[in-house]
Amino acid sequence: MPSAQPLQLYKAMKYTFRKYEFTDAASAQSAIDALGVDEEGNATHRHTIAMLGHIVTTAATYDDDGEELTPAVLADNYSVDVLWRDEIAEDWATNIVWPDPVGVHSFGNSEANAEYTATLYALFPDRVPVIDNDLND
Amino acid sequence: MALIDKASLLMVPSTYEAGKLYNVLPSGNRAPDSTDQNSGYDQTRADFDFDRGSNAAATRVNADGLIEKYRENKLLYSQDYTQSNWNKTNCTITSNYIANPVDGSINAPNITIDQTAGSYEKTMTQQNLNFVSGNVYCVSVWMKAGSVSSDTLRILAYDGGQVHSSSYIYLDDIENTPCKYEAGDNGWNRFYFYFKASNTAAGYIYIFNYAYGQVTNAGTNLYLYGAQWELGTYPTDYLDSTSVTGKAGVLVDLPRINYDANGENGALLLEPSRANNIAYSENITNSWWLKSNVTALDNQGISPEGLNNAGEITLTSTGGAVLYKTSLIIGDGVLSFFAKPGTLSGGRIRVSVDGIGAAYWNLDGTISSVSGGTAEAAENYGNGWFRYSYNVPSGSVANYGVQGGIIGESMLVYGMQVEPNATYPSSYIPNHGESGGVTRAADLMYTGPTDLGGGSVGTLMVEIERIAIDTANTGAGVQLLTSSDNEEIRLHFDAPSSQVRWRDANNGYAQIGAALSVTAGEFFKMCLVSDGTTAKSFGNGAQLGSDYSIVTAFDFDKLSLPQKAYKVKQIYFSNQALTDAECATLTTL
């Protein structure tokens, strides 16, 4: 995947939904703090940030009694979702990732989710879903 | 002079639209009139701006006492089937043929089947629709019998890899039709089904379908109205769509005026960002949920939303009978859910976390016992519904259900929620299939940069309620700022001490007057008055502490209500320093 995206894709909406991966929680927190915090540790920006952590890539399996058969497999990288308000921090571009819409988490913003999907397909045309017309009833 | 005549800014949560909360003052500001022409509207004066970057993740209790969500009909031209968005196969549309089932307008079309029985599919689809794997969708459409032979009629969805089908629709034998429906008038019925998408792909919605080889004859007909495709397990009120999707309810940037369950005490609801890590908060038959000593069904009763989308659990054991989920991120968080226990004759409502503890409630909502965390009496949502919440320090396995109940008895449930990093439950956050959770963005409200007019003389009164007293909600609750956003004065929220106080940001956050003790869930009034040299604090009708000598002159340009958990009934600002008697009157509850 490309490490940086054209900026014009970033500024069409008041809210923009993007996904990022960091090597660990500390580096994610460092990037978040760089967006601005006051002396009490409160954010001074208006972005919404969700630290998803090491997301499940393969779900655990269970028997009929609910006992775990195989444990969940977690991603190596630390995931962070951001709902940017107005401006996107350009230095986050090196950590951007583009999972299929809309990954495992969203901010419940239908317009931002749609923009994420449209931008993903504009950047990666080979990932645009192809309708299978061979519908078998 | 009346106090309202001295006000330069006054807000009560009565009129609002997306992105704005209208002032009562400054004079002339008000919502657009019924003609939407803004007659009398002073365009030079700004109203409050409002931010919340979430729609589908935000809810409120509306004036009917019901939980209200964001709703969206994802189909385009939901009623105009002549549009090219609709692909018609072996059928012909005659528009504006009969009265529709919603408002009686003559705009429901007639659908005539063009091909006879045999190897012809007869269907109408909308294509290139984006499905998301794991999401739960509901498709609904009004149908009325014409002359079709309808025993093989269905509604379908194709998610790009899998076909999802309703049960058959017997238009000429409604009482025995297997497909779920809502009965209407004049022969109309609203048929629906829901499904979980298996693919993230482009697909189709079929609002009616006779598949290859299925029976009906050329020249036969049926009537359709109001196709709808939306998230969830049950159809909401029909939303008309055009070239854009139909939207209603809690929109992005729409201030939430939240009411009590009885529809009273409307106040502006402001909450910090929160997540719900329950992937299927309303879909208990989903295999995502594990079941212990219960059977589960969806759409079995009227939920706190006012729809027939409450789930039902039936007890199969006298022990712990629960829906549960493992491998959740709970952290230091809160579990909550809604239940209607009136159908139980025994047992206690249970919310628990494996390895941590449990909270139990009696069937009347009073707390029975708590271990490993904290819980209070259930919140009454009316119509027999309660919301139960349990705060735990850690854990990963959540359980919702009944302890010690009677085998065979059932209870309605709705809106399961796990909010990590929280000490109290926030408003309900629907999640229809996002395994990593859904996050509701915070609410923010603020005036324009110079709306207060500047200067160091002024009076600010707020009537607010702290939703909870917790360490995540400390700091500035209400702020007076300069035009460049430098903080001048704040109403400071303390925790764990349950108090609020005015503080001077120009003087090391020195306290102005004394603090007011408050109770979570109860409204209070706080007033700050400055004549340029002296500031005073008033709370609930009396001066708090002594006069405060101002060190650095204030510059009151802007008001801001940042990310905290509270409700606002009114805000009053005057560019005058009101008298002590007026401040006492203004803050008297």
Side-chain angles (χ1 to χ4, degrees):
Chain A
M1 294 181 186
S3 59
Q5 312 303 333
L7 280 179
Q8 63 268 25
L9 292 170
Y10 287 167
K11 296 185 175 178
M13 300 173 64
K14 180 177 180 180
Y15 299 104
T16 309
F17 175 32
R18 292 292 182 266
K19 292 174 171 287
Y20 303 88
E21 286 184 357
F22 296 85
T23 53
D24 51 37
S27 55
Q29 190 62 57
S30 177
I32 293 167
D33 290 345
L35 296 173
V37 291
D38 63 19
E39 64 278 0
E40 296 170 317
N42 297 313
T44 56
H45 55 79
R46 291 178 178 168
H47 315 302
T48 304
I49 299 171
M51 300 178 73
L52 306 182
H54 300 278
I55 63 175
V56 174
T57 56
T58 304
T61 61
Y62 303 90
D63 64 18
D64 292 340
D65 297 323
E67 297 298 321
E68 186 175 86
L69 297 174
T70 59
V73 178
L74 303 181
D76 292 334
N77 286 330
Y78 192 93
S79 292
V80 176
D81 280 7
V82 183
L83 186 66
W84 299 102
R85 186 190 184 281
D86 296 330
E87 298 294 325
I88 294 180
E90 294 182 16
D91 53 351
W92 281 57
T94 54
N95 295 91
I96 200 166
V97 293
W98 293 94
D100 284 343
V102 286
V104 299
H105 166 270
S106 84
F107 293 95
N109 181 317
S110 54
E111 291 90 351
N113 287 358
E115 188 275 342
Y116 172 92
T117 303
T119 304
L120 164 65
Y121 294 149
L123 292 170
F124 307 100
D126 59 321
R127 292 172 63 187
V128 175
V130 177
I131 293 179
D132 176 7
N133 284 307
D134 186 18
L135 181 60
N136 182 7
D137 274 341
Chain B
M1 181 183 287
L3 290 175
I4 192 170
D5 295 324
K6 294 185 176 182
S8 56
L9 181 146
L10 187 64
M11 184 283 285
V12 291
S14 54
T15 57
Y16 60 96
E17 64 174 328
K20 276 187 179 178
L21 190 66
Y22 288 94
N23 299 340
V24 174
L25 289 171
S27 176
N29 272 14
R30 61 181 179 80
D33 63 17
S34 59
T35 66
D36 204 28
Q37 296 303 305
N38 293 329
S39 64
Y41 182 66
D42 183 350
Q43 300 285 350
T44 65
R45 292 178 182 272
D47 290 290
F48 289 101
D49 286 317
F50 189 88
D51 283 357
R52 187 195 53 254
S54 298
N55 49 16
T59 62
R60 66 165 183 156
V61 176
N62 65 20
D64 295 324
L66 300 173
I67 291 176
E68 180 177 299
K69 298 172 177 169
Y70 167 76
R71 303 187 296 118
E72 181 174 6
N73 183 356
K74 295 172 178 288
L75 294 174
L76 302 180
Y77 296 106
S78 58
Q79 177 42 37
D80 186 357
Y81 308 125
T82 63
Q83 295 286 337
S84 59
N85 300 70
W86 292 101
N87 186 45
K88 282 78 73 174
T89 302
N90 296 322
C91 61
T92 299
I93 311 298
T94 306
S95 298
N96 304 327
Y97 199 81
I98 62 170
N100 78 50
V102 176
D103 63 13
S105 300
I106 309 297
N107 63 355
N110 177 60
I111 314 294
T112 303
I113 302 301
D114 292 341
Q115 292 290 342
T116 191
S119 58
Y120 295 98
E121 185 180 34
K122 296 159 280 277
T123 191
M124 186 157 59
T125 64
Q126 191 157 128
Q127 304 183 3
N128 291 317
L129 301 172
N130 289 319
F131 292 82
V132 174
S133 179
N135 278 8
V136 174
Y137 298 101
C138 182
V139 182
S140 57
V141 62
W142 292 88
M143 291 187 187
K144 178 174 178 172
S147 55
V148 291
S149 171
S150 58
D151 57 345
T152 57
L153 180 61
R154 298 173 298 176
I155 312 168
L156 297 176
Y158 172 59
D159 65 18
Q162 183 177 347
V163 175
H164 307 271
S165 173
S166 75
S167 300
Y168 285 124
I169 297 167
Y170 304 157
L171 285 180
D172 50 358
D173 187 11
I174 292 297
E175 290 185 356
N176 293 311
T177 199
C179 183
K180 298 289 186 184
Y181 67 94
E182 284 185 335
D185 296 327
N186 301 317
W188 287 100
N189 293 287
R190 193 184 193 194
F191 298 91
Y192 67 91
F193 83 110
Y194 69 96
F195 61 96
K196 181 174 78 170
S198 305
N199 298 276
T200 295
Y204 306 165
I205 295 289
Y206 300 69
I207 61 170
F208 82 92
N209 174 271
Y210 286 99
Y212 294 95
Q214 302 294 342
V215 175
T216 196
N217 292 318
T220 59
N221 76 304
L222 74 161
Y223 309 101
L224 292 181
Y225 187 80
Q228 188 149 300
W229 175 44
E230 60 193 314
L231 286 169
T233 63
Y234 197 83
T236 66
D237 288 349
Y238 171 62
L239 289 168
D240 201 18
S241 67
T242 56
S243 60
V244 296
T245 61
K247 298 173 182 176
V250 181
L251 307 174
V252 164
D253 287 348
L254 185 75
R256 292 180 291 168
I257 308 302
N258 198 78
Y259 296 82
D260 295 342
N262 60 5
E264 298 178 351
N265 293 316
L268 176 66
L269 175 63
L270 299 165
E271 295 184 294
S273 180
R274 286 286 187 87
N276 182 7
N277 285 346
I278 294 294
Y280 296 95
S281 60
E282 298 170 19
N283 178 208
I284 63 174
T285 59
N286 197 296
S287 60
W288 185 90
W289 282 107
L290 302 166
K291 287 94 179 174
S292 177
N293 299 324
V294 294
T295 57
L297 294 171
D298 293 324
N299 299 344
Q300 294 299 301
I302 303 299
S303 76
E305 194 181 343
L307 293 175
N308 188 45
N309 62 349
E312 182 182 69
I313 57 171
T314 300
L315 283 53
T316 61
S317 168
T318 57
V322 293
L323 302 165
Y324 70 102
K325 183 62 183 177
T326 62
S327 302
L328 280 172
I329 297 174
I330 300 174
D332 183 359
V334 176
L335 293 74
S336 60
F337 83 129
F338 297 85
K340 188 173 183 176
T343 49
L344 301 177
S345 57
R348 297 179 296 171
I349 307 304
R350 166 183 167 180
V351 178
S352 61
V353 174
D354 288 9
I356 302 298
Y360 300 100
W361 290 264
N362 301 310
L363 299 183
D364 64 0
T366 56
I367 196 77
S368 173
S369 65
V370 188
S371 63
T374 58
E376 297 177 351
E379 185 178 0
N380 191 336
Y381 269 70
N383 299 318
W385 283 95
F386 291 87
R387 191 184 195 194
Y388 307 84
S389 64
Y390 176 42
N391 177 209
V392 294
S394 62
S396 63
V397 181
N399 303 269
Y400 302 87
V402 177
Q403 186 74 23
I406 296 169
I407 293 174
E409 291 194 338
S410 302
M411 178 178 75
L412 296 177
V413 298
Y414 173 85
M416 277 63 74
Q417 189 152 303
V418 164
E419 297 174 77
N421 306 314
T423 63
Y424 65 93
S426 70
S427 60
Y428 173 50
I429 303 169
N431 189 343
H432 298 294
E434 296 186 31
S435 60
V438 172
T439 298
R440 181 190 60 236
D443 304 275
L444 298 169
M445 192 179 87
Y446 44 93
T447 66
T450 59
D451 282 0
L452 300 189
S456 61
V457 176
T459 303
L460 172 65
M461 188 281 290
V462 293
E463 182 178 9
I464 59 181
E465 167 196 315
R466 290 183 68 178
I467 294 172
I469 311 295
D470 72 336
T471 54
N473 278 296
T474 59
V478 178
Q479 293 173 299
L480 290 168
L481 308 172
T482 67
S483 58
S484 53
D485 281 348
N486 292 320
E487 188 177 34
E488 299 285 272
I489 295 283
R490 68 163 59 171
L491 181 63
H492 190 98
F493 289 0
D494 286 304
S497 58
S498 182
Q499 63 180 27
V500 297
R501 53 201 168 107
W502 297 106
R503 300 180 72 181
D504 179 358
N506 289 339
N507 186 25
Y509 292 98
Q511 181 170 304
I512 300 171
L516 176 70
S517 294
V518 299
T519 302
E522 293 184 6
F523 279 94
F524 60 89
K525 291 181 177 179
M526 280 288 277
C527 175
L528 172 95
V529 57
S530 165
D531 64 7
T533 58
T534 301
K536 299 177 183 180
S537 172
F538 288 81
N540 291 346
Q543 184 172 356
L544 302 170
S546 55
D547 292 0
Y548 173 83
S549 296
I550 297 170
V551 176
T552 303
F554 301 125
D555 185 14
F556 301 141
D557 290 308
K558 178 179 178 180
L559 178 74
S560 175
L561 279 66
Q563 301 183 23
K564 295 290 183 292
Y566 48 127
K567 297 177 182 175
V568 181
K569 268 194 176 173
Q570 56 175 324
I571 298 172
Y572 175 104
F573 183 82
S574 171
N575 289 116
Q576 303 178 39
L578 300 189
T579 66
D580 289 359
E582 288 173 327
C583 289
T585 299
L586 199 58
T587 55
T588 297
L589 292 170

